């Protein structure tokens, strides 16, 4: 299994539930129940820093999570990547 950041495993007991951000979920055993729960409102989604859905996992079984989903990694790295503006890119082709 490949993930970004720290990969953790959870051992769920029968009937035990865990709610995680959908982007953090890497994999789970076929014995684990899976459901999607929608966030209550657009305001909670936009201002709360969470995605529009959660993953609800019900044991028994093993769940694998990543601490840094690819979208959060991209945002973190974005400050170190410079992309030329269209104007600068067009000028470089004309030289």
């Amino acid at each position: 299994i490949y993930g970004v950041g720290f990969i953790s495993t959870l051992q769920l007991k029968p009937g035990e539930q865990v709610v995680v951000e959908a982007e953090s979920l890497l994999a789970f055993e076929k014995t684990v129940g899976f459901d999607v729960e929608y966030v209550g409102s657009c305001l909670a989604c936009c201002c709360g820093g969470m995605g529009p859905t959660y993953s609800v996992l019900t044991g028994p079984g093993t769940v694998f999570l990543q601490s840094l989903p690819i979208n959060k990694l991209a945002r973190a790295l974005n400050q170190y990547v410079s992309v030329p503006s269209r104007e600068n890119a067009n000028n470089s082709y004309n030289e």
Side-chain angles (χ1 to χ4, degrees):
I1 295 175
Y2 175 78
V4 181
F6 180 75
I7 297 175
S8 60
T9 58
L10 300 174
Q11 294 292 330
L12 299 179
K13 296 175 183 158
E16 182 180 8
Q17 283 192 331
V18 64
V19 179
V20 299
E21 288 185 54
E23 297 85 11
S24 297
L25 182 61
L26 284 177
F28 52 89
E29 291 181 312
K30 63 182 176 180
T31 57
V32 175
F34 174 79
D35 197 9
V36 175
E37 185 175 292
Y38 293 94
V39 173
S41 69
C42 290
L43 183 62
C45 175
C46 295
C47 299
M50 303 294 272
T53 61
Y54 293 117
S55 296
V56 181
L57 303 149
T58 306
T62 305
V63 175
F64 298 90
L65 303 171
Q66 63 182 344
S67 64
L68 188 60
I70 196 71
N71 60 340
K72 289 183 181 178
L73 176 63
R75 272 196 307 261
L77 293 177
N78 192 38
Q79 64 182 328
Y80 301 107
V81 177
S82 63
V83 177
S85 67
R86 276 185 178 235
E87 185 177 301
N88 289 342
N90 290 337
N91 288 339
S92 65
Y93 291 119
N94 294 329
E95 293 177 0

